[in-house]
Each structure stands twice: as structure tokens, then as C-alpha cells.
């Protein structure tokens, strides 16, 4: 038995692969195109681990996926691979449509062909899990209840529109062809290996480098934060006990305005790694032009996955954010490698040596 993971060299995917192999001996086949967001250094601890097979490749490459599924016969596909950054989708939406929509379509067709050829127990046990986002539901007003699974889709950015399209494809492949799918729509993740273009790792990296901390607009936009390994445990719960065809919203009940997130990071950094001049990192806060079409508030109602699958986050925001800051302080070389582009060379050297 094995599981097939797409996008396993990215932020959440690499945490999932590491977490999976820390808890189970079931092998993992990771397929990742190693775009700018894919970093094999995240998986370096698995270099000599025979339970992990890494394949560099694109989810739009149907012959490659067909070959890998036939060769490894996975019982599960967990689909993380995506273009994930909202700002990049505003500046250049094309790759988001290709990977998030066409890539998901290609993967679904390959999964359908593979699953159709399975028999008996293997066919009954097969699952395709699609990892998606709360952004498909649009933006909440202050008085609105958190997003439930029944909320209508109202995606506002090219990124969220492409993820919404992929969710609809997954749903349709279940309803039309009977493909045994599950979908999760999760809130903002944070934790180790988070690419320093996203709010939390960018603020930590910029603070330590003495650079401005750019707050979009008034900084009062609200996100609902979940420590990344809690997202991983939610996906494991869905794979174990989730009902075919169902959607599960995943979140940590941690709604916070962006400016409060940044202030929390500053308090931790002031304590754990004070500035040489004795001043607070708050001196570096800089309000900048808002993101176009910026969603004002996201919040997740996670009661369905709690009630039906017994899943609960293990971390509070206080414990998770402290772990995160400590990880970034202890792994400043990882951030430097990403920011300098050295991770691409590291990858070429190490990957070429192994393939
Ligand atoms: P990420 O950008 O860190 O990683 C994406 C990974 O996918 C990278 O390793 C990249 O190389 C790979 N990839 C991109 N295009 C590919 C392609 N065409 N073929 C194969 N691999 C490709 O993203 P992330 O933050 O880890 O997000 C993972 C998934 O979780 C995405 O589907 C995202 O929409 C979803 N999600 C993310 C969050 C969050 O807060 N980050 C929250 C909810 C849902
Ligand atoms: O809600 C889930 C989504 O969370 C995922 O689907 C996306 O893949 C993930 O990137 C994330 O999207 P956001 O746009 O919410 O994340 P980001 O870290 O880019 O921004 C978080 C908030 O912080 C958002 O309101 C914009 C703001 N921001 C972001 C950056 C990078 C700033 O104010 N300044 C910044 O420099």
C-alpha cells in the first residue's frame, strides 16, 4: 500500500509528507513540479528514507501520472499541488488557471482511469482527497457567521476563482463518474517551511533583516489561522473516516486582524531576538497600498469535522505562533536559501546527484 501526494515539496504538502512518515510506515510517492514554491530542502530529512519516492513532474502531464499510478498502485491520492499566492494570481493569473484548473482536471481523469481499473477491496478503498481553501466562499461582513460547508461559492481573486473551479470539477467527477472523492476547505495555515512571500514568514524574515513590515491597507482584514500540522491531522482524519462525496471545512477558530498578527510576531521577536539598537521591531511597520479586491474577512465554522470525525486542532494560536517564530529563528539559513535563490541550486545539485 502507498499514498500519492501532489505538491509535497511545498509548504503544507511537505509538512504532510513529513508528518505522515513520522506516524506511519506506509510509503509516500510525492509528485511535485518544483516551481518557485517547491523546495526539496523541506524533505531533506527523508533523503535516505526508502519509504519516500520523489518524482519531479507536472500534474498537467497525463502520461506521467498514468505511469506513476500504474507503477505504485496507491490506495489514496492527496492533491495539494497548486499555485497558492493571491498576490501572484493578481499579477499573472495564467499559471493559476493551468495548474489549479487544468492540472486538477488532468489528475481527476488519470485517477478515474486508474480507479476504474481497480477491483474488489482496492476499488472500494480508493480515495481522491482534494485540498482546497476557505477563499472560495468569498468575503464575510463583520456580522456574518463563519463559513459553513453550505455557504455559496463567491470567489473574488483569480486564485480563489481557480480553486473554486477545481472544487467544482472534483464534485462533478464524483457525481457523474462516482469517483470516491473528499474535499477540505481550510483557513490560513502557518508554521515551518512557509514560503516567505506570505504574511507570517514575510514579517518574520523582514523584521530580522531590518526591512519594512508592509501592512496592506488599514491592516484590519481578518484571517482565521491554523497551525499547519493541525491541517495535516484533519486531512488524515478525512482519509480515515471521511464520507465519500463530502466536504469538510477546517479551521482553528482563530480569527485575527492582520495588524494583531504582526504585533504578536513583534512581541515574540522583541523577546526572543531583540534588535541590536534596543528598539522594538514595531518601528519597521509600514502601511502600504491595499491588495486589489482584498477580501475583508474569512472565518471557518469547523463544527462538521469536529462532530463527525472527532478532529480538533492540537495547537492554540499562542502555542503555534511561538513554535513558528522559534522555527524561523532556528532555521534562518532556510529563509536565506529561499530568498537568495540558493534553494534552486541546492535542489539541482542534490536532485541531480540522486536521480
Ligand atoms: P505552496 O505554494 O507552498 O506549494 C505548492 C506546491 O505545489 C509546490 O511545491 C509547487 O512546486 C507544487 N506545484 C505547483 N504547480 C504544480 C504543478 N503544475 N504540478 C506539480 N506540482 C506543482 O502551497 P501551500 O500553501 O502548501 O498550499 C497547498 C495546497 O493547500 C494548495 O492547494 C492550496 O490552495 C491549499 N491551501 C493552502 C492554504 C494556506 O494557508 N497556505 C490554506 C488552505 C488551502
Ligand atoms: O485562506 C486560505 C488562504 O490563505 C490560502 O488558500 C492561500 O493559499 C494562502 O496564501 C492564504 O491566502 P491569504 O491571501 O490570506 O494569505 P497571505 O499570507 O498572502 O495574506 C494574509 C493577509 O495578510 C491578507 O489579508 C493580506 C495581508 N498581507 C499579506 C502580505 C504578504 C499584508 O498585509 N502584507 C503582506 O505583505
Amino acid at each position: 500500500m502507498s499514498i500519492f501526494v501532489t505538491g509535497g515539496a511545498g509548504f503544507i504538502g511537505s509538512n504532510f509528507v513529513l508528518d505522515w512518515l513520522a506516524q506511519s510506515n506506509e510509503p509516500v510517492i510525492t509528485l511535485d513540479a518544483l516551481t518557485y514554491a517547491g523546495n526539496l530542502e523541506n524533505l531533506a530529512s527523508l533523503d535516505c528514507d526508502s519509504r519516500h519516492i520523489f518524482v519531479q513532474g507536472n500534474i498537467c502531464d497525463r502520461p506521467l501520472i498514468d505511469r506513476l499510478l500504474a507503477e505504485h498502485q496507491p490506495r489514496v491520492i492527496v492533491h495539494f499541488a497548486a499555485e497558492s499566492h493571491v498576490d501572484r494570481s493578481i499579477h499573472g493569473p495564467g499559471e493559476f488557471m493551468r495548474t489549479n484548473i487544468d492540472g486538477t482536471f488532468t489528475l481527476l481523469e488519470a485517477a478515474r482511469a486508474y480507479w476504474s481499473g481497480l477491483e474488489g477491496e482496492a476499488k472500494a478503498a480508493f480515495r481522491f482527497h482534494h485540498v482546497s481553501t476557505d477563499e472560495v466562499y468569498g468575503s464575510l461582513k463583520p456580522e456574518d457567521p463563519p463559513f459553513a460547508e453550505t455557504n455559496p461559492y463567491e470567489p473574488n481573486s483569480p486564485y480563489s476563482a481557480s480553486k473554486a473551479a477545481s472544487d467544482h470539477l472534483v464534485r462533478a467527477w464524483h457525481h457523474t463518474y462516482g469517483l470516491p472523492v473528499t474535499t477540505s476547505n481550510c483557513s490560513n495555515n502557518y508554521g515551518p517551511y512557509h514560503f516567505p512571500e506570505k504574511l507570517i514568514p514575510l514579517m518574520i524574515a523582514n523584521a530580522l533583516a531590518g526591512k519594512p513590515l508592509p501592512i496592506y491597507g488599514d491592516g484590519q482584514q481578518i484571517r482565521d489561522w491554523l497551525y499547519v500540522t493541525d491541517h495535516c491531522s484533519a486531512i488524515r482524519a478525512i482519509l480515515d473516516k471521511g464520507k465519500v462525496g463530502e466536504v469538510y471545512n477546517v479551521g482553528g477558530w482563530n480569527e485575527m486582524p492582520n495588524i494583531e498578527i504582526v504585533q504578536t510576531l513583534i512581541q515574540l521577536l522583541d523577546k526572543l531576538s531583540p534588535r541590536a539598537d534596543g528598539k522594538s521591531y514595531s518601528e519597521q511597520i509600514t502601511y502600504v497600498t491595499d491588495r486589489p479586491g482584498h477580501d475583508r474577512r474569512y472565518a471557518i465554522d469547523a463544527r462538521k469535522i469536529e462532530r463527525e470525525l472527532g478532529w480538533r486542532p492540537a495547537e492554540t494560536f499562542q502555542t503555534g505562533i511561538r513554535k513558528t517564530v522559534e522555527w524561523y529563528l532556528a532555521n534562518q539559513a532556510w529563509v536565506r536559501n529561499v530568498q537568495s535563490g540558493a534553494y534552486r541550486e541546492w535542489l539541482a545539485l542534490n536532485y541531480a546527484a540522486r536521480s
Side-chain angles (χ1 to χ4, degrees):
M1 296 289 213
S2 62
I3 69 165
F4 185 86
V5 173
T6 72
F11 163 47
I12 307 174
S14 62
N15 275 284
F16 181 83
V17 171
L18 293 170
D19 206 49
W20 182 273
L21 290 173
Q23 311 208 21
S24 151
N25 275 326
E26 186 171 15
V28 177
I29 297 97
T30 299
L31 173 68
D32 196 299
L34 297 178
T35 67
Y36 82 93
N39 187 347
L40 269 188
E41 207 174 335
N42 301 0
L43 300 171
S45 63
L46 300 176
D47 268 359
C48 299
D49 193 327
S50 60
R51 299 170 306 162
H52 185 237
I53 295 170
F54 178 80
V55 180
Q56 181 171 7
N58 200 303
I59 55 166
C60 298
D61 183 345
R62 176 71 193 271
L64 172 67
I65 300 166
D66 285 345
R67 179 170 67 69
L68 291 172
L69 295 179
E71 193 177 323
H72 298 287
Q73 299 279 307
R75 68 175 180 91
V76 161
I77 295 175
V78 188
H79 177 33
F80 291 98
E83 287 294 333
S84 69
H85 191 37
V86 175
D87 292 332
R88 284 181 191 255
S89 82
I90 294 167
H91 295 298
E95 211 49 51
F96 288 72
M97 306 306 132
R98 280 185 284 278
T99 286
N100 299 1
I101 305 178
D102 200 28
T104 301
F105 160 69
T106 306
L107 197 62
L108 282 166
E109 278 293 80
R112 181 164 77 92
Y114 167 68
W115 169 73
S116 299
L118 295 175
E119 284 174 359
E121 260 303 291
K123 187 164 192 174
F126 180 76
R127 294 287 180 276
F128 181 105
H129 181 70
H130 177 56
V131 181
S132 193
T133 169
D134 59 359
E135 299 202 9
V136 297
Y137 298 120
S139 187
L140 291 167
K141 297 194 182 64
E143 65 277 14
D144 288 338
F147 300 127
E149 289 80 358
T150 47
N151 271 52
Y153 272 37
E154 290 177 355
N156 289 320
S157 71
Y159 163 70
S160 55
S162 68
K163 290 297 291 188
S166 69
D167 292 10
H168 290 320
L169 292 176
V170 171
R171 178 189 155 87
W173 259 241
H174 173 63
H175 280 265
T176 304
Y177 304 113
L179 188 71
V181 306
T182 46
T183 295
S184 49
N185 293 89
C186 188
S187 62
N188 286 62
N189 286 214
Y190 66 100
Y193 305 118
H194 204 179
F195 199 88
E197 64 184 353
K198 309 277 168 61
L199 179 73
I200 288 180
L202 180 77
M203 293 296 154
I204 299 172
N206 278 14
L208 295 173
K211 292 183 182 165
L213 307 180
I215 312 287
Y216 296 167
D218 63 3
Q220 293 301 329
Q221 305 83 2
I222 291 173
R223 297 292 181 268
D224 184 351
W225 295 92
L226 182 71
Y227 192 67
V228 63
T229 50
D230 283 326
H231 188 183
C232 299
S233 71
I235 294 171
R236 280 204 313 277
I238 296 168
L239 294 177
D240 279 356
K241 297 175 270 184
K243 221 171 123 200
V244 166
E246 290 291 311
V247 172
Y248 298 92
N249 281 1
V250 182
W253 303 100
N254 279 312
E255 278 187 67
M256 283 175 83
N258 293 336
I259 188 67
E260 274 183 37
I261 296 287
V262 176
Q263 279 158 353
T264 305
L265 293 170
I266 286 171
Q267 277 166 16
L268 283 163
L269 288 170
D270 280 345
K271 205 168 351 157
L272 298 174
S273 184
R275 270 176 43 153
D277 63 4
K279 293 185 179 163
S280 167
Y281 290 104
S282 57
E283 302 261 319
Q284 291 163 234
I285 288 181
T286 312
Y287 286 88
V288 300
T289 309
D290 208 352
R291 172 186 279 174
H294 200 166
D295 284 339
R296 198 68 185 163
R297 174 179 166 231
Y298 304 141
I300 279 281
D301 178 343
R303 281 177 298 179
K304 177 176 173 182
I305 187 168
E306 291 173 4
R307 188 179 61 243
E308 295 186 9
L309 307 186
W311 172 84
R312 295 264 183 304
E315 302 291 343
T316 63
F317 187 71
Q318 286 68 29
T319 60
I321 200 71
R322 195 181 172 95
K323 278 188 182 178
T324 303
V325 170
E326 286 170 349
W327 188 87
Y328 278 91
L329 286 173
N331 291 276
Q332 291 182 54
W334 181 89
V335 176
R336 276 198 301 276
N337 281 348
V338 170
Q339 289 184 327
S340 69
Y343 75 117
R344 313 292 304 169
E345 291 156 30
W346 183 94
L347 179 161
L349 281 172
N350 285 269
Y351 185 58
R354 273 186 283 141
S355 54

